[in-house]
Amino acid sequence: MIGRYWAICQRDLLAAWRRKAGLYQPLVFQLLIVTLFPLGLGAGAQTLSKVAPALVWILALLGTLITLEHIFKDDFEDGSLAMYVRTDLSLPLVVLFKALGHWLMVGLPAVLFAPVVAVLLHLPESAYGVLMLSLLLATPIFSLMGAVGSALTLNLRSGGLLLSVLVMPLLAPILIFGAGAVLETSLDNSAKGHLLLLSGSLVLTLTLAPLAAAAAIKVNLE
Amino acid sequence: MIGRYWAICQRDLLAAWRRKAGLYQPLVFQLLIVTLFPLGLGAGAQTLSKVAPALVWILALLGTLITLEHIFKDDFEDGSLAMYVRTDLSLPLVVLFKALGHWLMVGLPAVLFAPVVAVLLHLPESAYGVLMLSLLLATPIFSLMGAVGSALTLNLRSGGLLLSVLVMPLLAPILIFGAGAVLETSLDNSAKGHLLLLSGSLVLTLTLAPLAAAAAIKVNLE
Amino acid sequence: MQQIELNNVVCQRRGEALFKPVSLTVGRGELAVIAGPNGSGKTTLLECLAGLAPFASGQCRYKQQNLASDWARESHYIGHKLANKAALTCLENLHFALTVSGHRIDENQLLDTLEAVGLAGYEYQLASELSAGQKKRLSLSRLLVMDAPFWLLDEPFVNLDHAGCEWLYQVLSEHIGQGGAVILTAHDQKKIHEMAHHHIELEPAS
Amino acid sequence: MQQIELNNVVCQRRGEALFKPVSLTVGRGELAVIAGPNGSGKTTLLECLAGLAPFASGQCRYKQQNLASDWARESHYIGHKLANKAALTCLENLHFALTVSGHRIDENQLLDTLEAVGLAGYEYQLASELSAGQKKRLSLSRLLVMDAPFWLLDEPFVNLDHAGCEWLYQVLSEHIGQGGAVILTAHDQKKIHEMAHHHIELEPAS
Amino acid sequence: MNKLVKLYHTLGSPPSFYRIAGYFLTPLLLLALGLTAYGLVDGLFFAPIDYQQKDAYRIIFVHVPSAWMSMFIYAMMGIAAIMAFVWRMKVAEAVMMASAPIGAAFTVITLVTGMLWGKPMWGTYWDWDARMTSELILLFLYIGVMAMYAAFDDDPRKAARLTALVAIIGLVNLPIIHYSVEWWSSIHQKSSVKLTGSTGIKDWDMLRPLLVMAFATKFYYGYSMLHRARSYLLHTESQKQWAQAALGLDTPKKQNKEQSNG
Ligand code: HEM
Ligand SMILES: Nc1ncnc2c1ncn2[C@@H]1O[C@H](COP(=O)(O)OP(=O)(O)OP(=O)(O)O)[C@@H](O)[C@H]1O
Ligand SMILES: Nc1ncnc2c1ncn2[C@@H]1O[C@H](COP(=O)(O)OP(=O)(O)OP(=O)(O)O)[C@@H](O)[C@H]1O
Ligand SMILES: [Mg+2]
Ligand SMILES: [Mg+2]
């Protein structure tokens, strides 16, 4: 049974891989912004390391945001979403696995890539661990909330930006906890509270987001 | 004659207006990032005002980047690009007016909106004038170079990111001049040199980018 | 009885009824053709039947019950949107459709099916690089492997060449012969009207 | 002579020739039908003719010259992609097509044209909200107002209902009668073959 | 209990909601106008000067009531959204969609008055203080709700259902914002002037105009929301007989039809 859901996720990964673009470009995108930022800043290591946590987080968020639109839109446009809905698959689970596919493509690489960005931005080394851990907790939330947004804006031509507008306010608190955690660590404080909050949010989104997205899809297909 | 090109631009604006989304959302998107950055930063006015020029610029660039993809892609997908190519319109001029349409929708609002962002980020007031002037010179370059990128990536499904990767390195110098100009002014130096460089780049792109994009479209339609 | 019953159903778009109430009962072994001029609501009716949109009024029942997951599983819908994934090859497309709908998969059977629909030699070509008729054939190939008794087909003959139409006639009549049922829309296909057990002509609501 | 001449042309996809070399001369007042099974290269041939892709070999000449802006202006191509803008209404779509191609615009004429193609009452409906056949009609309406002598039509009968097909036959024969020329592809339309002056059957290259 | 159920059903049907809401419009508007006039005059001219902030503090009589309203209205909108989504109540849809622009307007007023106040008090228009940020996020939530509805201009029913979903999801965000505020302020000692806090105002002469204004804004919300909800219902139900009757288009068409049938 799980195999059938997994097939959806696998198929998305395969299609992304085919287009090649899908896989390495969010990373290149991130890297480019990280390069551009110091260029625009024209500043030394000090200012950079101060803004580093915020920047890493904004980057992870952006990389996710610009790719969200397609989570469901492509499936809707070529008619395969109608196909899923008509099988006996549970729609919330389909959403979950679509989000998993998105996370594997965009979220996970961002997590693995974070240390590189951190080095480029002179983040204190002590904070690397917490940076990665917090990203690991937060990126699935991004993908899940993104799935909700994507489901809501399915049949809008330029849903991309509306999507961001819908999703960003919901992700702002996550950003606060996450960047806060890194900041605390780099100031040698404990980041436990922040990480706990992140975990809590993750659990909450894991349970609620698939339901919300499934409801949105149902309405949209009507 | 110009009326016919203007019709293309007008049509894009109308379509964007129809979708409602198109018009005000790049702004909201910018505003959102401006909000998120200090949130992630958790920092006071001092650090913010230091990174402000860089951030305003990166934002203008991003707002442009995420909307670039559609400059030609929509026209390509519904077959109207093939229609333009088959009229006696000069393709470079078509490109110019498509870029104009994009600029009016995304670039111009970003320029007008810059002071608001600047206030939010505590940029010194003396720098507002130069900020807007430099953005006014640079955003058309973004749209034009973006049109080239969009033309190059026409028939790729997820061209959006490839597009960014192609276009960003070309726009990095613009970013350096632009943010540099603002930085200099906020340090009470003259920004004349930077602004001249920007004007030069604008003239150069105005002449070359339409030709390059037209060539790319021709190749892509084959 | 395994039959789908429409009782005075009406579909709507933008809040307006599209056609006069329609009643229809299609049981196993029957073929129903829905006809009507452009814009009369054939596609909309099929979409409602496929459960992708609600009926505006009237009852629609399958096995004496309201449409439910039973119906979704035992019917297969192919609309104007063909549900082929552009970035996958023909073989992968078919494979995926089967996996998702929970069927056992046998590679050889898949290859045979693709050959039967005339896509031999295109197994490893991306769906985005097929011709219009080939895309149609690819989506029709799903019918052959999904073994749903009820087929809902929106203009299935469009884009097919002469041989393709002949083949589809044959597939349809075999399916019906084996106790399947088909509801389809078509313009100007005399032959399908000769085969059909039920003819529905959608008439403007007012 | 105002005629389009194809001399042993071949089109290719992924580097392989699609069909045996084709020769054809279509002058004013003539209708040519391109036939062939699915995937034989009809669409590709029309796209090359429309100047959207290069021929792999052979010559294609118009007015004794290689294809140039003359040809682009005097021919109109409607392919599988209909070139309707989803976010514009029918009227706006037609208006835009005319403006861009540099024609004078007369609102009443536009309304009449839409009525002629059967879209009366849909003038202010978005193109994305039309039925399949209505979309087709909208793109065909461009033919009526653009007064290009050469029409290149890829499966123009697809999705049209019976009345729509009849109407299109009539439009085609009037156009030819008035000295226009048409090159189109079609499957299984006997009537069009009866009208045609030239029949091209694409044969596999090898 | 039975009466409550009955009231629920009466209010739940668009025509009777339209009718009943109609009775409330004028009184609500008059109350709102009167109280606002009184509150402003009292607050701007008669309330005592604050020894610390001088006259600048008087902006409080606009700022604080609208800040309260911005949150109150979101809550109302969220409740209406739940009713709209779960029971598919048209009236709830109307209330939801009518509330959004009013709430957004109050949010903007809060932000603007806050910024104007911030300049003399803190020396800057804007600081990334928790309260300001969360208010800004609230504005985005409102914008999201309205943008979602606007994006589906063709199908109001579908638009309303999806918008309800957005509003509900945003509701989940409200407590999160609240707690994030607490967390945040516990990390950073505030560099800025602390907000006075509701306990700060002891003087009845200061409190009175504030409370009056708070009631005035509530009444205004009631008036404006009912007004918008009514026109929303008229708009979406314009096909129905009651709406046409309300619009004065008393269906001569239908009578004709009946005659021709007969
Ligand atoms: C843009 C800037 C500002 C924003 C977004 C803002 C937002 C808010 C909000 C949302 C509330 C309601 C809080 C609640 O009821 O829980 C509030 C209350 C209040 N604000 Fe502001 N504010 C801003 C600037 C200021 C400034 C500069 C002052 C004065 C120094 C100020 C003084 C107050 C006071 C006294 C209250 C009442 C507090 C209470 O009753 O709990 N605000 N503000
Ligand atoms: N998305 C939509 N929004 C609003 N109206 C629509 C939409 N899609 C179709 N319509 C309208 O609904 C009516 C019925 O459309 P439908 O697609 O069901 O027709 P059809 O019978 O399938 O026509 P065809 O033979 O052209 O395929 C048409 O008048 C069309 O304009
Ligand atoms: N984008 C593409 N890339 C590679 N090959 C393609 C592409 N499009 C079509 N082909 C292949 O080229 C051949 C000719 O396609 P074409 O679309 O011209 O056929 P057609 O005669 O129009 O068929 P139909 O009757 O189905 O419309 C087909 O075998 C198809 O697989
Ligand atoms: Mg149809
Ligand atoms: Mg073809």
Side-chain angles (χ1 to χ4, degrees):
Chain A
M1 196 61 199
I2 285 298
R4 290 169 59 192
Y5 296 104
W6 177 238
I8 296 179
C9 175
Q10 219 178 358
R11 203 264 326 245
D12 284 357
L13 291 175
L14 179 64
W17 173 250
R18 274 286 150 66
R19 293 189 233 117
K20 298 249 162 55
L23 280 178
Y24 58 84
Q25 277 175 0
L27 287 187
V28 180
F29 193 71
Q30 275 195 347
L31 202 55
L32 276 171
I33 302 192
V34 174
T35 344
L36 287 183
F37 197 79
L39 282 182
L41 203 58
Q46 254 213 331
T47 325
L48 262 185
S49 73
K50 255 193 206 154
V51 296
L55 205 56
V56 172
W57 271 85
I58 297 263
L59 285 180
L61 186 57
L62 272 183
T64 319
L65 275 181
I66 50 173
T67 49
L68 279 185
E69 192 178 354
H70 294 280
I71 299 187
F72 289 115
K73 198 164 191 163
D74 293 353
D75 275 1
F76 173 71
E77 281 182 355
D78 62 20
S80 19
L81 196 59
M83 193 165 85
Y84 306 151
V85 174
R86 307 202 67 253
T87 57
D88 53 343
L89 296 179
S90 127
L91 204 50
L93 276 179
V94 171
V95 172
L96 200 63
F97 276 78
K98 292 287 290 186
L100 175 62
H102 180 261
W103 182 74
L104 287 176
M105 271 186 302
V106 179
L108 187 59
V111 177
L112 297 177
F113 195 60
V116 180
V117 178
V119 170
L120 289 178
L121 295 175
H122 305 293
L123 195 76
E125 274 168 44
S126 57
Y128 287 11
V130 172
L131 176 69
M132 286 186 71
L133 184 59
S134 57
L135 277 175
L136 198 63
L137 289 171
T139 43
I141 307 186
F142 292 171
S143 291
L144 282 163
M145 288 308 304
V148 178
S150 183
L152 282 168
T153 55
L154 270 190
N155 54 8
L156 300 177
R157 194 104 236 273
S158 94
L161 285 165
L162 174 59
L163 178 58
S164 314
V165 174
L166 289 177
V167 168
M168 275 239 206
L170 297 174
L171 297 183
I174 310 296
L175 186 81
I176 299 179
F177 303 151
V182 181
L183 204 70
E184 289 298 297
T185 324
S186 67
L187 300 174
D188 287 331
N189 299 332
S190 156
K192 210 169 161 192
H194 288 89
L195 291 178
L196 277 180
L197 275 174
L198 277 181
S199 322
S201 312
L202 178 57
V203 172
L204 197 73
T205 351
L206 263 175
T207 46
L208 293 186
L211 297 178
I217 291 175
K218 280 262 170 68
V219 175
N220 256 315
L221 278 181
E222 262 171 22
Chain B
M1 197 59 200
I2 286 299
R4 292 168 58 191
Y5 296 105
W6 176 239
I8 296 180
C9 175
Q10 220 177 356
R11 201 265 324 249
D12 284 358
L13 291 176
L14 179 65
W17 173 250
R18 272 290 148 64
R19 290 189 236 115
K20 297 236 169 63
L23 279 179
Y24 58 83
Q25 277 174 0
L27 286 188
V28 181
F29 193 72
Q30 274 196 349
L31 200 55
L32 279 170
I33 303 190
V34 176
T35 332
L36 290 183
F37 196 79
L39 282 182
L41 204 56
Q46 256 215 329
T47 325
L48 262 185
S49 72
K50 257 196 207 153
V51 296
L55 205 56
V56 172
W57 271 85
I58 297 260
L59 283 181
L61 185 58
L62 274 182
T64 319
L65 277 181
I66 51 172
T67 49
L68 278 186
E69 192 177 354
H70 294 280
I71 299 189
F72 290 115
K73 201 169 188 154
D74 292 354
D75 277 0
F76 174 70
E77 281 181 356
D78 62 20
S80 23
L81 197 58
M83 193 166 86
Y84 306 152
V85 175
R86 305 203 68 253
T87 58
D88 52 342
L89 295 179
S90 126
L91 203 50
L93 276 179
V94 171
V95 171
L96 199 63
F97 276 78
K98 293 286 290 185
L100 174 63
H102 180 263
W103 183 74
L104 287 176
M105 271 185 304
V106 179
L108 186 60
V111 176
L112 298 177
F113 196 59
V116 179
V117 176
V119 171
L120 291 178
L121 295 176
H122 303 293
L123 196 73
E125 276 167 42
S126 56
Y128 286 11
V130 171
L131 176 69
M132 286 186 71
L133 184 60
S134 58
L135 276 175
L136 198 62
L137 289 171
T139 42
I141 308 186
F142 292 172
S143 292
L144 282 164
M145 291 306 305
V148 178
S150 182
L152 282 169
T153 55
L154 271 189
N155 55 5
L156 302 176
R157 195 104 236 271
S158 94
L161 285 166
L162 174 59
L163 180 58
S164 316
V165 175
L166 286 176
V167 168
M168 276 242 207
L170 295 175
L171 297 182
I174 310 295
L175 186 81
I176 299 177
F177 302 150
V182 182
L183 204 70
E184 290 297 300
T185 323
S186 68
L187 300 174
D188 286 331
N189 298 333
S190 156
K192 213 170 161 192
H194 288 91
L195 291 178
L196 279 180
L197 276 173
L198 277 182
S199 321
S201 316
L202 177 56
V203 173
L204 199 72
T205 352
L206 263 176
T207 46
L208 293 186
L211 298 177
I217 290 176
K218 280 262 170 67
V219 174
N220 256 316
L221 279 181
E222 264 170 21
Chain C
M1 269 295 285
Q2 288 208 5
Q3 60 187 21
I4 174 106
E5 291 165 57
L6 297 180
N7 204 339
N8 277 318
V9 297
V10 173
C11 300
Q12 65 181 20
R13 284 282 189 190
R14 319 180 119 226
E16 284 178 37
L18 285 175
F19 42 77
K20 293 221 178 92
V22 167
S23 298
L24 169 71
T25 305
V26 182
R28 293 294 201 103
E30 289 183 331
L31 167 70
V33 176
I34 303 174
N38 289 141
S40 55
K42 302 179 294 299
T43 299
T44 315
L45 177 58
L46 273 193
E47 279 179 3
C48 294
L49 253 177
L52 300 174
F55 287 101
S57 68
Q59 292 90 43
C60 177
R61 299 165 71 81
Y62 178 60
K63 295 186 183 167
Q64 266 83 40
Q65 313 219 306
N66 285 339
L67 297 190
S69 63
D70 250 16
W71 170 243
R73 207 169 32 247
E74 291 168 18
S75 65
H76 190 73
Y77 169 64
I78 297 183
H80 288 304
K81 291 176 188 171
L82 300 174
N84 299 328
K85 271 281 155 197
L88 299 189
T89 65
C90 293
L91 194 57
E92 286 164 349
N93 261 300
L94 200 54
H95 195 290
F96 175 69
L98 276 183
T99 322
V100 159
S101 53
H103 286 77
R104 193 92 50 78
I105 283 153
D106 168 2
E107 284 282 331
N108 284 330
Q109 187 205 356
L110 294 190
L111 292 175
D112 291 347
T113 309
L114 284 180
E115 192 173 342
V117 297
L119 288 176
Y122 294 92
E123 292 90 350
Y124 301 102
Q125 186 150 339
L126 298 188
S128 59
E129 301 185 339
L130 296 175
S131 81
Q134 288 166 339
K135 282 180 187 146
K136 192 85 182 193
R137 285 162 185 261
L138 178 56
S139 73
L140 289 173
S141 72
R142 287 205 302 273
L143 290 176
L144 301 185
V145 285
M146 303 267 268
D147 58 55
F150 284 82
W151 293 354
L152 308 172
L153 310 177
D154 200 358
E155 306 204 28
F157 295 97
V158 153
N159 290 126
L160 291 184
D161 57 14
H162 184 75
C165 290
E166 288 304 318
W167 167 81
L168 187 54
Y169 284 127
Q170 199 185 327
V171 168
L172 290 178
S173 67
E174 269 174 26
H175 180 64
I176 292 165
Q178 289 162 8
V182 180
I183 303 180
L184 57 77
T185 68
H187 291 299
D188 251 1
Q189 296 277 347
K190 278 201 205 88
K191 201 158 162 185
I192 198 75
H193 279 283
E194 284 162 18
M195 284 167 63
H197 304 85
H198 303 279
H199 301 266
I200 302 279
E201 179 82 29
L202 298 183
E203 283 160 45
S206 54
Chain D
M1 270 294 285
Q2 288 206 7
Q3 59 186 21
I4 176 110
E5 292 164 56
L6 295 180
N7 204 340
N8 277 315
V9 297
V10 173
C11 300
Q12 65 181 21
R13 283 283 188 191
R14 321 179 122 224
E16 282 179 36
L18 285 175
F19 42 77
K20 292 219 179 98
V22 168
S23 299
L24 169 71
T25 305
V26 183
R28 294 291 203 103
E30 290 184 330
L31 167 69
V33 177
I34 303 174
N38 289 142
S40 56
K42 301 180 293 299
T43 298
T44 316
L45 177 58
L46 271 193
E47 280 180 3
C48 294
L49 253 176
L52 300 174
F55 288 102
S57 67
Q59 291 90 45
C60 177
R61 299 163 72 79
Y62 178 61
K63 295 187 184 168
Q64 266 82 42
Q65 313 219 304
N66 285 338
L67 296 191
S69 64
D70 251 14
W71 170 243
R73 206 168 33 243
E74 292 168 16
S75 65
H76 190 76
Y77 169 64
I78 297 182
H80 288 305
K81 291 176 188 170
L82 300 175
N84 299 329
K85 269 284 153 196
L88 299 188
T89 65
C90 293
L91 194 58
E92 286 164 349
N93 261 298
L94 200 54
H95 195 291
F96 175 68
L98 275 184
T99 322
V100 158
S101 53
H103 286 76
R104 193 92 50 78
I105 285 155
D106 169 3
E107 284 283 330
N108 283 330
Q109 188 206 354
L110 294 190
L111 291 176
D112 291 348
T113 309
L114 284 180
E115 192 174 342
V117 297
L119 288 176
Y122 294 93
E123 292 89 351
Y124 302 100
Q125 187 148 337
L126 297 188
S128 60
E129 301 183 340
L130 296 174
S131 80
Q134 288 165 339
K135 281 181 187 144
K136 193 83 183 194
R137 284 162 184 261
L138 178 58
S139 72
L140 289 174
S141 73
R142 286 205 302 274
L143 290 176
L144 301 185
V145 284
M146 302 268 269
D147 59 54
F150 284 82
W151 292 356
L152 308 173
L153 310 177
D154 201 357
E155 305 205 28
F157 295 96
V158 153
N159 287 128
L160 291 185
D161 57 14
H162 184 74
C165 290
E166 288 303 317
W167 168 82
L168 188 54
Y169 284 128
Q170 200 186 324
V171 168
L172 290 179
S173 66
E174 269 173 26
H175 181 65
I176 292 166
Q178 289 162 7
V182 181
I183 304 178
L184 58 76
T185 67
H187 292 298
D188 252 358
Q189 295 278 345
K190 276 201 208 91
K191 202 160 161 183
I192 198 73
H193 279 282
E194 283 163 17
M195 283 169 63
H197 305 85
H198 303 280
H199 302 266
I200 302 283
E201 179 82 29
L202 298 182
E203 285 160 40
S206 54
Chain E
M1 194 61 211
N2 267 338
K3 265 192 186 159
L4 265 181
V5 173
K6 203 173 159 211
L7 182 70
Y8 172 86
H9 281 293
T10 331
L11 282 181
S13 95
S16 47
F17 176 85
Y18 183 87
R19 189 171 40 80
I20 296 171
Y23 299 138
F24 283 91
L25 283 182
T26 326
L28 280 174
L29 180 62
L30 289 178
L31 269 174
L33 286 178
L35 285 180
T36 310
Y38 171 75
L40 281 183
V41 170
D42 193 8
L44 295 187
F45 298 107
F46 298 109
I49 274 194
D50 187 90
Y51 71 98
Q52 223 180 1
Q53 308 190 0
K54 302 283 170 344
D55 272 335
Y57 92 98
R58 293 187 193 278
I59 211 169
I60 200 175
F61 300 118
V62 181
H63 174 77
V64 174
S66 55
W68 284 338
M69 286 311 286
S70 65
M71 292 183 299
F72 173 76
I73 294 178
Y74 196 94
M76 296 309 285
M77 190 175 76
I79 294 170
I82 293 175
M83 285 162 61
F85 193 83
V86 177
W87 293 299
R88 302 192 180 213
M89 268 175 71
K90 273 216 173 127
V91 170
E93 277 170 19
V95 170
M96 172 183 77
M97 288 322 300
S99 299
I102 313 172
F106 275 117
T107 313
V108 169
I109 293 175
T110 312
L111 285 168
V112 171
T113 52
M115 283 173 81
L116 290 179
W117 201 0
K119 190 66 180 172
M121 289 304 117
W122 308 334
T124 171
Y125 285 114
W126 188 264
D127 195 22
W128 290 98
D129 151 89
R131 196 167 254 180
M132 296 178 175
T133 312
S134 54
E135 187 75 1
L136 194 58
I137 289 180
L138 189 65
L139 179 62
F140 289 143
L141 286 175
Y142 277 120
I143 291 180
V145 167
M146 290 188 293
M148 190 74 217
Y149 189 78
F152 280 87
D153 48 358
D154 55 331
D155 189 345
R157 265 344 272 282
K158 191 190 262 187
R161 279 176 69 66
L162 288 172
T163 310
L165 210 53
V166 173
I168 296 171
I169 296 169
L171 212 51
V172 174
N173 200 44
L174 280 187
I176 296 183
I177 289 179
H178 180 71
Y179 286 114
S180 81
V181 169
E182 301 220 324
W183 267 98
W184 203 4
S185 46
S186 72
I187 316 167
H188 295 279
Q189 56 285 53
K190 285 230 181 63
S191 55
S192 50
V193 179
K194 277 231 168 99
L195 294 176
T196 322
S198 51
T199 47
I201 308 174
K202 297 259 167 59
D203 193 333
W204 170 243
D205 285 335
M206 277 192 202
L207 197 53
R208 188 183 53 231
L210 194 61
L211 288 180
V212 169
M213 285 299 285
F215 278 110
T217 45
K218 292 253 172 355
F219 287 129
Y220 173 74
Y221 164 66
Y223 162 75
S224 179
M225 187 271 281
L226 288 181
H227 191 74
R228 281 160 194 277
R230 282 179 50 153
S231 55
Y232 176 96
L233 284 176
L234 272 191
H235 186 71
T236 50
E237 302 251 289
S238 56
Q239 306 292 339
K240 299 256 170 78
Q241 205 180 351
W242 73 264
Q244 299 197 334
L247 283 171
L249 308 169
D250 210 358
T251 59
K253 260 192 232 157
K254 185 138 197 192
Q255 286 168 0
N256 282 347
K257 228 183 228 166
E258 275 161 9
Q259 278 168 9
S260 62
N261 283 348

